[in-house]
Amino acid sequence: QPDALHYSGVLAHQHGRSEEAIALITRSLDLAPDQPDWHSNLGIIFQDRGKLQEAVVAYRRALALQPTHANAHNNIGVLLRAQGMTVEAEEAYRTAICLNSNQPDAYHNLAILLSATHRTQEAVTCYCKALTLKPQYPEARRLLALAYCVIGQPDKAVIVCEEWLKSEPDDPVALHTL
């Protein structure tokens, strides 16, 4: 039962048994190799375990099976950025966004890359989009506030933090950022 093996693997990973999860999902893929989501899930587990080359292989397999797999594009972008391949990572994030414009993580990841490459104004736009899609996104809020400071708009940074504190009044990161 490849479905049962796959979902047992996902569950094992969620319970901190990642090596078992890798074995179960790999077995499921031996039985049903043409499942792009399963390859992507395997890539996520490899990535979490620090097995980056294996993660890239899994994501590329997912993309070979389904070139429109937005999540795999986003995830491979993370790995490419970590390897210093910013041009390729940006392309992967933009592809993910083009395929699914409702993916807050892709906007957030693109914004981080844009900030790191000194395109902070563009990053602000991406952080705002990520927050529009996922209003309770603390890391995007924090980085948006910092980006506003970088581009010389600390008044907007204060507004971001004050809005954040309205929804989470005791959040120590929000308080610190403000």
Side-chain angles (χ1 to χ4, degrees):
Q1 293 293 323
D3 287 329
L5 288 167
H6 173 256
Y7 291 113
S8 293
V10 170
L11 187 61
H13 178 65
Q14 291 171 344
H15 285 94
R17 300 186 323 266
S18 297
E19 292 306 317
E20 179 184 345
I22 290 169
L24 288 165
I25 293 175
T26 299
R27 280 181 45 212
S28 74
L29 287 166
D30 288 343
L31 298 170
D34 294 333
Q35 301 292 325
D37 287 340
W38 298 5
H39 286 282
S40 185
N41 287 343
L42 183 60
I44 290 167
I45 297 168
F46 279 137
Q47 187 173 345
D48 285 350
R49 300 291 300 154
K51 298 179 178 185
L52 304 186
Q53 287 307 100
E54 292 93 334
V56 168
V57 169
Y59 293 139
R60 291 199 190 283
R61 180 68 182 137
L63 291 172
L65 292 167
Q66 183 182 349
T68 59
H69 198 292
N71 197 42
H73 281 286
N74 179 55
N75 289 337
I76 206 163
V78 171
L79 295 174
L80 293 168
R81 182 173 48 95
Q83 295 172 354
M85 301 171 71
T86 56
V87 172
E88 295 86 351
E90 182 175 348
E91 181 181 325
Y93 296 142
R94 291 190 185 279
T95 300
I97 290 166
C98 183
L99 293 168
N100 180 359
S101 62
N102 293 318
Q103 194 175 45
D105 290 339
Y107 284 102
H108 182 257
N109 291 332
L110 178 57
I112 290 171
L113 183 142
L114 293 169
S115 290
T117 56
H118 309 290
R119 294 181 283 166
T120 311
Q121 187 62 54
E122 288 178 79
V124 165
T125 302
C126 289
Y127 286 129
C128 288
K129 183 64 177 179
L131 285 167
T132 298
L133 295 169
K134 185 178 173 184
Q136 304 300 319
Y137 203 149
E139 185 66 6
R141 288 174 166 168
R142 185 181 73 79
L143 293 175
L144 175 59
L146 295 175
Y148 274 134
C149 289
V150 168
I151 63 172
Q153 297 180 351
D155 52 324
K156 289 186 178 181
V158 169
I159 292 168
V160 168
C161 291
E162 287 173 343
E163 289 296 318
W164 185 1
L165 285 166
K166 283 180 187 175
S167 64
E168 299 177 58
D170 297 323
D171 187 301
V173 176
L175 289 166
H176 175 78
T177 304
L178 180 59

